[in-house]
Amino acid sequence: MLRNPSVKYRPFPQVDLPDRQWPNRTITTPPRWLSTDMRDGNQALIDPMNAEKKERFFDLLVKVGIKEIEVGFPSAGATEFDFISGLVKAHRIPDDVMVQVLTQSRRDLIETSFESLRGAKQAIVHLYNAVSPAWRRIVFDMSRDQVRDIAVTGAKILRDEAAKQPDTDWHFEYSPETFSTAELDFSVEVCAAVMDVLRPTPQRPLILNLPATVEAATPNIYADQIEWFCRNVPNRDSVVISLHTHNDRGTGVAASELGLLAGADRVEGCLFGNGERTGNVDLVTLALNMYTQGVNPGLDFSDIDSVIGTVEYCNQLPVHPRHPYAGDLVFTAFSGSHQDAIKKGFAAQEARNDEQWDVPYLPIDPADLGRNYEAVIRVNSQSGKGGVAWVLQQDKGLKLPKRLQAHFSRHVQHLADETSRELNAADIWDAFSKAYRLEGEQPIELVDWDERRTATGERIFTGTVDVAGDQMRLSGRGNGLISSVLGALQDAQGIALEVQNYSEHAIGQGSNARAAAYVETTDADGRTHWGVGIDEDVATASVRAVLSAANSARAL
């Protein structure tokens, strides 16, 4: 890299727009959406889609609610042409969907494009030619007048070809390609010349697409360009201003958002941002950004995993695990502080019973996208007690007391450090079961029990336990069930424990609900022993919790 990059690269010039209005605006309505997945996205694939994948992708786009779909470049070859004409002939295009095809400004290519759509109910033909100085000088060796004439000639052919098929409701789009690096006055001049040919009206507007073919400046400059164009193009009410941003600087979404603030009406892009080089604008991110601001984007991503599956299959490209909204890890927290904030946020959301979403670190409710909460918090060596407690609550329905969370998190931390990997729900449950002796053979195991009350209200516990394979009877007295069990253990086994805290809760609802009981005890030396019991009966769960604590004490 150069020490002084200014000798090779120059800063992009500002737009002279001192009274710009877009910074004070807010997006309140969605744009018209056009997917270019099947054209721009397809041509960017290492292995372009075959007919089966194209049909599957087309069906997906219709399902999520996109009403304008650029289905291909019919003059590129027989595969493209046959697929497009096949959609029309098979009547696979819904009445409320307009397909679009792209063509350069050449007679033979335009004629082929119209022919591919013969018989369509309605369609858009998209004409383009590059207008920027670099293209005029390097690629075409043409003057401004010559470049403008290319656009005008193409527009005339559009008009004439449409007249040959009057049964189709034709719509036109024109792109001054490389708009973002062209002179603004020349872009307006060329677009105005095209308008003079096609004669758009407010009832039959022309789509003017203003692409950042290569993203060369910050998003605010693109917004200035769009606002300047909207102010200066003639008959603004007779055109639909469309955006087609690329992501060369990594700000394609921001450029489109600011372009909408600047007055644009329509956005072209791809699901998850596929496209040449760094890709087109990501329609999923752009739409869900609006959704999180309370604006219905008009697109349905309520089953985001199904959308991902289809796109990955058709494109043979993975969606990155950190991709906004869609990635496998975007709703996942490993950090202890993050996990604690999220867990408290969910608890507050439930307690508030408020429709307004307000959970730390989660800008959108994963459930709105068809994701469950099980993967929100995942555990590794960076995780804290709140994360571990969340996993147990989601997986097993256990709501651990805070002090038990801290006690058990030490076990999990040791396991995570020992294994040097993420711990899944099964790992955590296995560790919990071993730590509090919920499964497998134990030093003292409950066989059966009963209790009765004396005339003075005293509780008498009697039970049978298995101790190292031998069954023995226990009996103890106390002012409650737990104290009477502790009394029996002390009399029969010499285990003296004092209860510090006790809690219980239901697991599930209805006739299949079970109970979980937690008891914190201390021994004569002041050491803490936690016990956990789970059973269909809450009293039995309490007895099991006491025996769990006793087993812990006996193991020392």
Side-chain angles (χ1 to χ4, degrees), residues 368-422:
D368 288 359
L369 304 181
R371 295 269 176 90
N372 58 41
Y373 297 140
E374 291 180 4
V376 169
I377 290 176
R378 291 163 60 176
V379 175
N380 62 15
S381 61
Q382 304 299 306
S383 305
K385 61 182 185 297
V388 173
W390 167 271
V391 172
L392 281 173
Q393 181 174 341
Q394 296 299 307
D395 185 50
K396 298 295 183 181
L398 300 181
K399 302 176 183 178
L400 306 190
K402 285 187 177 181
R403 288 172 59 82
L404 178 55
Q405 292 177 26
H407 187 269
F408 178 53
S409 69
R410 293 193 290 271
H411 293 268
V412 175
Q413 184 69 46
H414 175 74
L415 180 61
D417 288 338
E418 188 178 67
T419 59
S420 298
R421 63 172 175 83
E422 179 189 353

Short mmCIF file of all heavy atoms in Angstrom, two decimals, residues 368-422:
data_model
loop_
_atom_site.label_atom_id
_atom_site.label_comp_id
_atom_site.label_asym_id
_atom_site.label_seq_id
_atom_site.Cartn_x
_atom_site.Cartn_y
_atom_site.Cartn_z
N ASP A 368 -40.25 -13.21 15.22
CA ASP A 368 -40.87 -12.60 14.05
C ASP A 368 -40.31 -13.16 12.76
O ASP A 368 -40.94 -13.06 11.70
CB ASP A 368 -40.67 -11.08 14.07
CG ASP A 368 -41.51 -10.40 15.14
OD1 ASP A 368 -42.27 -11.10 15.84
OD2 ASP A 368 -41.43 -9.16 15.26
N LEU A 369 -39.12 -13.73 12.83
CA LEU A 369 -38.48 -14.31 11.64
C LEU A 369 -38.54 -15.83 11.66
O LEU A 369 -37.86 -16.50 10.88
CB LEU A 369 -37.02 -13.85 11.56
CG LEU A 369 -36.80 -12.33 11.55
CD1 LEU A 369 -35.32 -12.00 11.43
CD2 LEU A 369 -37.58 -11.68 10.41
N GLY A 370 -39.33 -16.37 12.57
CA GLY A 370 -39.48 -17.82 12.64
C GLY A 370 -38.38 -18.51 13.41
O GLY A 370 -38.28 -19.74 13.40
N ARG A 371 -37.55 -17.74 14.11
CA ARG A 371 -36.48 -18.33 14.92
C ARG A 371 -36.99 -18.52 16.34
O ARG A 371 -37.75 -17.70 16.86
CB ARG A 371 -35.25 -17.41 14.94
CG ARG A 371 -34.57 -17.23 13.58
CD ARG A 371 -33.49 -18.26 13.39
NE ARG A 371 -32.87 -18.19 12.08
CZ ARG A 371 -31.79 -17.45 11.78
NH1 ARG A 371 -31.24 -16.68 12.71
NH2 ARG A 371 -31.28 -17.47 10.58
N ASN A 372 -36.54 -19.60 17.00
CA ASN A 372 -36.90 -19.78 18.41
C ASN A 372 -35.83 -19.15 19.29
O ASN A 372 -34.83 -18.62 18.81
CB ASN A 372 -37.10 -21.26 18.74
CG ASN A 372 -35.85 -22.09 18.45
OD1 ASN A 372 -34.73 -21.66 18.72
ND2 ASN A 372 -36.04 -23.28 17.90
N TYR A 373 -36.05 -19.21 20.58
CA TYR A 373 -35.14 -18.56 21.52
C TYR A 373 -34.03 -19.47 22.02
O TYR A 373 -33.18 -19.06 22.79
CB TYR A 373 -35.92 -18.01 22.73
CG TYR A 373 -36.93 -16.94 22.37
CD1 TYR A 373 -38.18 -16.90 22.97
CD2 TYR A 373 -36.62 -15.98 21.43
CE1 TYR A 373 -39.11 -15.92 22.65
CE2 TYR A 373 -37.54 -15.00 21.09
CZ TYR A 373 -38.78 -14.98 21.70
OH TYR A 373 -39.69 -14.01 21.37
N GLU A 374 -34.05 -20.73 21.59
CA GLU A 374 -33.09 -21.68 22.13
C GLU A 374 -31.65 -21.30 21.78
O GLU A 374 -30.72 -21.58 22.54
CB GLU A 374 -33.40 -23.08 21.61
CG GLU A 374 -34.70 -23.64 22.18
CD GLU A 374 -35.00 -25.02 21.65
OE1 GLU A 374 -34.17 -25.56 20.90
OE2 GLU A 374 -36.06 -25.56 21.99
N ALA A 375 -31.45 -20.69 20.61
CA ALA A 375 -30.09 -20.37 20.18
C ALA A 375 -29.69 -18.94 20.52
O ALA A 375 -28.62 -18.49 20.13
CB ALA A 375 -29.96 -20.58 18.67
N VAL A 376 -30.54 -18.20 21.23
CA VAL A 376 -30.21 -16.82 21.56
C VAL A 376 -28.99 -16.75 22.46
O VAL A 376 -28.13 -15.88 22.30
CB VAL A 376 -31.42 -16.11 22.21
CG1 VAL A 376 -31.02 -14.76 22.80
CG2 VAL A 376 -32.54 -15.93 21.20
N ILE A 377 -28.92 -17.66 23.42
CA ILE A 377 -27.79 -17.70 24.35
C ILE A 377 -27.12 -19.06 24.23
O ILE A 377 -27.76 -20.10 24.37
CB ILE A 377 -28.25 -17.44 25.80
CG1 ILE A 377 -28.68 -15.97 25.95
CG2 ILE A 377 -27.16 -17.79 26.79
CD1 ILE A 377 -29.25 -15.63 27.31
N ARG A 378 -25.85 -19.03 23.93
CA ARG A 378 -25.06 -20.26 23.80
C ARG A 378 -23.84 -20.14 24.70
O ARG A 378 -23.35 -19.04 24.97
CB ARG A 378 -24.67 -20.49 22.34
CG ARG A 378 -25.89 -20.85 21.50
CD ARG A 378 -25.68 -20.71 20.02
NE ARG A 378 -24.61 -21.55 19.51
CZ ARG A 378 -24.31 -21.64 18.22
NH1 ARG A 378 -25.00 -20.96 17.32
NH2 ARG A 378 -23.33 -22.42 17.82
N VAL A 379 -23.37 -21.27 25.16
CA VAL A 379 -22.41 -21.27 26.27
C VAL A 379 -21.04 -21.75 25.81
O VAL A 379 -20.91 -22.80 25.17
CB VAL A 379 -22.93 -22.17 27.42
CG1 VAL A 379 -21.89 -22.28 28.52
CG2 VAL A 379 -24.24 -21.60 27.96
N ASN A 380 -20.03 -20.95 26.15
CA ASN A 380 -18.63 -21.37 26.02
C ASN A 380 -17.87 -20.80 27.21
O ASN A 380 -18.48 -20.38 28.20
CB ASN A 380 -18.04 -20.96 24.67
CG ASN A 380 -18.02 -19.45 24.48
OD1 ASN A 380 -18.18 -18.67 25.43
ND2 ASN A 380 -17.83 -19.01 23.25
N SER A 381 -16.55 -20.74 27.11
CA SER A 381 -15.76 -20.29 28.25
C SER A 381 -15.96 -18.81 28.56
O SER A 381 -15.55 -18.33 29.62
CB SER A 381 -14.26 -20.56 27.99
OG SER A 381 -13.82 -19.86 26.85
N GLN A 382 -16.58 -18.05 27.64
CA GLN A 382 -16.82 -16.62 27.86
C GLN A 382 -18.15 -16.36 28.54
O GLN A 382 -18.48 -15.22 28.85
CB GLN A 382 -16.78 -15.88 26.52
CG GLN A 382 -15.50 -16.06 25.73
CD GLN A 382 -14.29 -15.56 26.47
OE1 GLN A 382 -14.25 -14.42 26.91
NE2 GLN A 382 -13.30 -16.43 26.63
N SER A 383 -18.94 -17.40 28.75
CA SER A 383 -20.30 -17.22 29.22
C SER A 383 -20.38 -17.07 30.73
O SER A 383 -19.46 -17.46 31.46
CB SER A 383 -21.16 -18.40 28.77
OG SER A 383 -21.08 -18.56 27.37
N GLY A 384 -21.50 -16.56 31.19
CA GLY A 384 -21.71 -16.34 32.61
C GLY A 384 -22.87 -17.14 33.14
O GLY A 384 -23.49 -17.93 32.43
N LYS A 385 -23.20 -16.89 34.39
CA LYS A 385 -24.25 -17.68 35.05
C LYS A 385 -25.61 -17.46 34.40
O LYS A 385 -26.42 -18.39 34.32
CB LYS A 385 -24.31 -17.31 36.54
CG LYS A 385 -24.65 -15.86 36.85
CD LYS A 385 -24.64 -15.61 38.34
CE LYS A 385 -25.09 -14.18 38.69
NZ LYS A 385 -24.18 -13.16 38.13
N GLY A 386 -25.86 -16.24 33.93
CA GLY A 386 -27.15 -15.97 33.30
C GLY A 386 -27.34 -16.79 32.04
O GLY A 386 -28.44 -17.28 31.76
N GLY A 387 -26.28 -16.95 31.26
CA GLY A 387 -26.38 -17.74 30.04
C GLY A 387 -26.65 -19.19 30.31
O GLY A 387 -27.47 -19.84 29.65
N VAL A 388 -25.98 -19.74 31.31
CA VAL A 388 -26.19 -21.14 31.67
C VAL A 388 -27.62 -21.33 32.15
O VAL A 388 -28.31 -22.30 31.76
CB VAL A 388 -25.19 -21.55 32.77
CG1 VAL A 388 -25.51 -22.94 33.28
CG2 VAL A 388 -23.76 -21.47 32.25
N ALA A 389 -28.11 -20.42 32.98
CA ALA A 389 -29.47 -20.52 33.50
C ALA A 389 -30.50 -20.43 32.37
O ALA A 389 -31.52 -21.12 32.37
CB ALA A 389 -29.72 -19.42 34.53
N TRP A 390 -30.21 -19.57 31.39
CA TRP A 390 -31.13 -19.42 30.24
C TRP A 390 -31.25 -20.73 29.47
O TRP A 390 -32.35 -21.16 29.10
CB TRP A 390 -30.62 -18.31 29.34
CG TRP A 390 -31.28 -18.26 28.00
CD1 TRP A 390 -30.92 -18.90 26.86
CD2 TRP A 390 -32.45 -17.51 27.65
NE1 TRP A 390 -31.77 -18.61 25.83
CE2 TRP A 390 -32.72 -17.76 26.29
CE3 TRP A 390 -33.29 -16.66 28.36
CZ2 TRP A 390 -33.80 -17.18 25.63
CZ3 TRP A 390 -34.37 -16.08 27.70
CH2 TRP A 390 -34.62 -16.34 26.36
N VAL A 391 -30.11 -21.38 29.22
CA VAL A 391 -30.13 -22.64 28.46
C VAL A 391 -30.95 -23.69 29.21
O VAL A 391 -31.77 -24.41 28.62
CB VAL A 391 -28.70 -23.14 28.19
CG1 VAL A 391 -28.73 -24.53 27.57
CG2 VAL A 391 -27.97 -22.17 27.27
N LEU A 392 -30.75 -23.80 30.50
CA LEU A 392 -31.52 -24.78 31.28
C LEU A 392 -33.01 -24.44 31.29
O LEU A 392 -33.86 -25.33 31.25
CB LEU A 392 -30.99 -24.85 32.71
CG LEU A 392 -29.72 -25.67 32.91
CD1 LEU A 392 -29.20 -25.51 34.34
CD2 LEU A 392 -29.96 -27.15 32.59
N GLN A 393 -33.32 -23.16 31.33
CA GLN A 393 -34.73 -22.76 31.32
C GLN A 393 -35.37 -23.08 29.97
O GLN A 393 -36.48 -23.60 29.91
CB GLN A 393 -34.86 -21.26 31.62
CG GLN A 393 -36.31 -20.79 31.64
CD GLN A 393 -36.43 -19.35 32.08
OE1 GLN A 393 -35.53 -18.78 32.69
NE2 GLN A 393 -37.55 -18.73 31.77
N GLN A 394 -34.66 -22.78 28.87
CA GLN A 394 -35.21 -23.05 27.55
C GLN A 394 -35.28 -24.54 27.25
O GLN A 394 -36.23 -25.01 26.62
CB GLN A 394 -34.36 -22.34 26.48
CG GLN A 394 -34.37 -20.83 26.58
CD GLN A 394 -35.76 -20.25 26.39
OE1 GLN A 394 -36.45 -20.52 25.43
NE2 GLN A 394 -36.20 -19.44 27.35
N ASP A 395 -34.28 -25.29 27.71
CA ASP A 395 -34.20 -26.70 27.35
C ASP A 395 -35.01 -27.58 28.30
O ASP A 395 -35.67 -28.53 27.87
CB ASP A 395 -32.74 -27.15 27.36
CG ASP A 395 -32.56 -28.58 26.87
OD1 ASP A 395 -33.09 -28.90 25.80
OD2 ASP A 395 -31.88 -29.36 27.57
N LYS A 396 -34.96 -27.27 29.60
CA LYS A 396 -35.60 -28.14 30.59
C LYS A 396 -36.69 -27.46 31.40
O LYS A 396 -37.34 -28.11 32.22
CB LYS A 396 -34.54 -28.70 31.55
CG LYS A 396 -33.47 -29.55 30.87
CD LYS A 396 -34.06 -30.82 30.27
CE LYS A 396 -32.98 -31.70 29.68
NZ LYS A 396 -33.54 -32.93 29.07
N GLY A 397 -36.88 -26.17 31.21
CA GLY A 397 -37.91 -25.46 31.96
C GLY A 397 -37.52 -25.12 33.38
O GLY A 397 -38.38 -24.74 34.19
N LEU A 398 -36.22 -25.24 33.73
CA LEU A 398 -35.76 -24.97 35.09
C LEU A 398 -35.45 -23.49 35.27
O LEU A 398 -34.75 -22.89 34.46
CB LEU A 398 -34.52 -25.80 35.41
CG LEU A 398 -34.67 -27.32 35.32
CD1 LEU A 398 -33.36 -27.99 35.68
CD2 LEU A 398 -35.79 -27.80 36.23
N LYS A 399 -35.96 -22.92 36.34
CA LYS A 399 -35.71 -21.52 36.67
C LYS A 399 -34.86 -21.46 37.94
O LYS A 399 -35.37 -21.40 39.05
CB LYS A 399 -37.03 -20.77 36.85
CG LYS A 399 -37.94 -20.84 35.62
CD LYS A 399 -39.29 -20.18 35.88
CE LYS A 399 -40.20 -20.33 34.67
NZ LYS A 399 -41.54 -19.73 34.90
N LEU A 400 -33.56 -21.49 37.74
CA LEU A 400 -32.66 -21.60 38.88
C LEU A 400 -32.65 -20.32 39.71
O LEU A 400 -32.59 -19.22 39.17
CB LEU A 400 -31.24 -21.89 38.40
CG LEU A 400 -31.01 -23.09 37.47
CD1 LEU A 400 -29.52 -23.34 37.33
CD2 LEU A 400 -31.72 -24.32 37.97
N PRO A 401 -32.66 -20.46 41.04
CA PRO A 401 -32.44 -19.28 41.89
C PRO A 401 -31.08 -18.65 41.57
O PRO A 401 -30.14 -19.34 41.13
CB PRO A 401 -32.47 -19.86 43.31
CG PRO A 401 -33.18 -21.17 43.18
CD PRO A 401 -32.87 -21.69 41.82
N LYS A 402 -30.95 -17.37 41.82
CA LYS A 402 -29.72 -16.66 41.44
C LYS A 402 -28.49 -17.26 42.10
O LYS A 402 -27.43 -17.38 41.47
CB LYS A 402 -29.85 -15.17 41.80
CG LYS A 402 -30.75 -14.40 40.86
CD LYS A 402 -30.71 -12.92 41.15
CE LYS A 402 -31.55 -12.15 40.15
NZ LYS A 402 -31.50 -10.68 40.40
N ARG A 403 -28.60 -17.63 43.37
CA ARG A 403 -27.43 -18.17 44.05
C ARG A 403 -27.06 -19.55 43.50
O ARG A 403 -25.89 -19.90 43.44
CB ARG A 403 -27.69 -18.23 45.57
CG ARG A 403 -27.69 -16.84 46.22
CD ARG A 403 -28.13 -16.91 47.69
NE ARG A 403 -27.27 -17.77 48.48
CZ ARG A 403 -26.10 -17.39 49.01
NH1 ARG A 403 -25.65 -16.15 48.80
NH2 ARG A 403 -25.39 -18.22 49.74
N LEU A 404 -28.06 -20.30 43.07
CA LEU A 404 -27.77 -21.59 42.43
C LEU A 404 -27.15 -21.38 41.05
O LEU A 404 -26.28 -22.14 40.64
CB LEU A 404 -29.05 -22.43 42.33
CG LEU A 404 -28.90 -23.79 41.64
CD1 LEU A 404 -27.82 -24.63 42.31
CD2 LEU A 404 -30.24 -24.53 41.63
N GLN A 405 -27.59 -20.34 40.35
CA GLN A 405 -26.97 -20.01 39.06
C GLN A 405 -25.47 -19.81 39.23
O GLN A 405 -24.65 -20.33 38.45
CB GLN A 405 -27.60 -18.75 38.46
CG GLN A 405 -29.04 -18.89 38.03
CD GLN A 405 -29.61 -17.58 37.52
OE1 GLN A 405 -28.88 -16.72 37.03
NE2 GLN A 405 -30.93 -17.42 37.62
N ALA A 406 -25.11 -19.03 40.23
CA ALA A 406 -23.69 -18.76 40.48
C ALA A 406 -22.94 -20.04 40.86
O ALA A 406 -21.82 -20.27 40.42
CB ALA A 406 -23.55 -17.70 41.57
N HIS A 407 -23.59 -20.87 41.68
CA HIS A 407 -22.97 -22.11 42.13
C HIS A 407 -22.72 -23.05 40.95
O HIS A 407 -21.62 -23.60 40.79
CB HIS A 407 -23.88 -22.79 43.17
CG HIS A 407 -23.27 -23.99 43.82
ND1 HIS A 407 -23.45 -25.27 43.34
CD2 HIS A 407 -22.47 -24.12 44.94
CE1 HIS A 407 -22.80 -26.13 44.10
NE2 HIS A 407 -22.21 -25.45 45.10
N PHE A 408 -23.73 -23.22 40.10
CA PHE A 408 -23.59 -24.15 38.98
C PHE A 408 -22.68 -23.60 37.88
O PHE A 408 -22.00 -24.37 37.18
CB PHE A 408 -24.97 -24.48 38.40
CG PHE A 408 -24.92 -25.39 37.21
CD1 PHE A 408 -24.24 -26.60 37.27
CD2 PHE A 408 -25.53 -25.03 36.01
CE1 PHE A 408 -24.19 -27.45 36.18
CE2 PHE A 408 -25.48 -25.86 34.92
CZ PHE A 408 -24.81 -27.08 34.99
N SER A 409 -22.63 -22.29 37.72
CA SER A 409 -21.81 -21.73 36.64
C SER A 409 -20.34 -22.09 36.81
O SER A 409 -19.60 -22.19 35.83
CB SER A 409 -21.97 -20.21 36.58
OG SER A 409 -21.40 -19.58 37.71
N ARG A 410 -19.91 -22.32 38.04
CA ARG A 410 -18.51 -22.73 38.26
C ARG A 410 -18.26 -24.11 37.66
O ARG A 410 -17.18 -24.38 37.11
CB ARG A 410 -18.19 -22.70 39.75
CG ARG A 410 -18.19 -21.28 40.34
CD ARG A 410 -17.55 -21.28 41.72
NE ARG A 410 -18.38 -21.94 42.72
CZ ARG A 410 -19.30 -21.33 43.44
NH1 ARG A 410 -19.52 -20.03 43.26
NH2 ARG A 410 -20.00 -22.00 44.35
N HIS A 411 -19.23 -24.98 37.76
CA HIS A 411 -19.11 -26.31 37.15
C HIS A 411 -19.01 -26.18 35.62
O HIS A 411 -18.19 -26.85 34.99
CB HIS A 411 -20.32 -27.18 37.50
CG HIS A 411 -20.42 -27.56 38.95
ND1 HIS A 411 -19.88 -28.73 39.45
CD2 HIS A 411 -20.99 -26.92 40.00
CE1 HIS A 411 -20.12 -28.79 40.75
NE2 HIS A 411 -20.79 -27.70 41.11
N VAL A 412 -19.85 -25.32 35.06
CA VAL A 412 -19.86 -25.14 33.60
C VAL A 412 -18.56 -24.50 33.13
O VAL A 412 -18.01 -24.87 32.09
CB VAL A 412 -21.09 -24.31 33.18
CG1 VAL A 412 -21.05 -24.02 31.67
CG2 VAL A 412 -22.37 -25.04 33.53
N GLN A 413 -18.09 -23.52 33.88
CA GLN A 413 -16.84 -22.86 33.49
C GLN A 413 -15.69 -23.85 33.46
O GLN A 413 -14.87 -23.85 32.54
CB GLN A 413 -16.53 -21.73 34.48
CG GLN A 413 -15.30 -20.90 34.13
CD GLN A 413 -15.53 -20.06 32.89
OE1 GLN A 413 -16.57 -19.42 32.77
NE2 GLN A 413 -14.59 -20.05 31.97
N HIS A 414 -15.65 -24.72 34.45
CA HIS A 414 -14.59 -25.74 34.49
C HIS A 414 -14.70 -26.67 33.28
O HIS A 414 -13.69 -26.99 32.63
CB HIS A 414 -14.70 -26.56 35.78
CG HIS A 414 -13.74 -27.71 35.86
ND1 HIS A 414 -12.39 -27.54 36.09
CD2 HIS A 414 -13.93 -29.06 35.71
CE1 HIS A 414 -11.79 -28.71 36.07
NE2 HIS A 414 -12.70 -29.66 35.84
N LEU A 415 -15.92 -27.07 32.94
CA LEU A 415 -16.12 -27.96 31.80
C LEU A 415 -15.75 -27.26 30.49
O LEU A 415 -15.11 -27.86 29.62
CB LEU A 415 -17.57 -28.43 31.76
CG LEU A 415 -17.95 -29.37 30.61
CD1 LEU A 415 -17.13 -30.66 30.69
CD2 LEU A 415 -19.45 -29.68 30.66
N ALA A 416 -16.13 -25.99 30.35
CA ALA A 416 -15.81 -25.25 29.13
C ALA A 416 -14.30 -25.08 28.97
O ALA A 416 -13.76 -25.22 27.87
CB ALA A 416 -16.50 -23.89 29.14
N ASP A 417 -13.62 -24.77 30.06
CA ASP A 417 -12.17 -24.62 30.00
C ASP A 417 -11.50 -25.96 29.67
O ASP A 417 -10.51 -26.03 28.94
CB ASP A 417 -11.64 -24.10 31.33
CG ASP A 417 -11.98 -22.63 31.56
OD1 ASP A 417 -12.25 -21.93 30.56
OD2 ASP A 417 -12.01 -22.21 32.72
N GLU A 418 -12.06 -27.02 30.21
CA GLU A 418 -11.49 -28.35 30.02
C GLU A 418 -11.66 -28.84 28.58
O GLU A 418 -10.76 -29.44 28.01
CB GLU A 418 -12.16 -29.33 30.99
CG GLU A 418 -11.54 -30.70 31.04
CD GLU A 418 -12.24 -31.58 32.06
OE1 GLU A 418 -13.43 -31.92 31.83
OE2 GLU A 418 -11.61 -31.91 33.09
N THR A 419 -12.83 -28.55 27.98
CA THR A 419 -13.13 -29.05 26.62
C THR A 419 -12.71 -28.08 25.53
O THR A 419 -12.56 -28.48 24.38
CB THR A 419 -14.63 -29.35 26.48
OG1 THR A 419 -15.37 -28.15 26.73
CG2 THR A 419 -15.05 -30.44 27.45
N SER A 420 -12.58 -26.78 25.88
CA SER A 420 -12.21 -25.74 24.91
C SER A 420 -13.15 -25.71 23.71
O SER A 420 -12.74 -25.61 22.55
CB SER A 420 -10.77 -25.95 24.43
OG SER A 420 -9.86 -25.84 25.50
N ARG A 421 -14.45 -25.82 23.97
CA ARG A 421 -15.43 -25.77 22.90
C ARG A 421 -16.74 -25.23 23.45
O ARG A 421 -16.91 -25.07 24.66
CB ARG A 421 -15.66 -27.15 22.30
CG ARG A 421 -16.24 -28.18 23.26
CD ARG A 421 -16.63 -29.47 22.55
NE ARG A 421 -17.08 -30.50 23.46
CZ ARG A 421 -18.32 -30.60 23.94
NH1 ARG A 421 -19.23 -29.69 23.59
NH2 ARG A 421 -18.66 -31.58 24.77
N GLU A 422 -17.66 -24.94 22.50
CA GLU A 422 -18.99 -24.54 22.91
C GLU A 422 -19.70 -25.71 23.58
O GLU A 422 -19.56 -26.86 23.15
CB GLU A 422 -19.80 -24.08 21.70
CG GLU A 422 -21.22 -23.66 22.04
CD GLU A 422 -22.08 -23.40 20.81
OE1 GLU A 422 -21.53 -23.41 19.69
OE2 GLU A 422 -23.29 -23.21 20.99
#
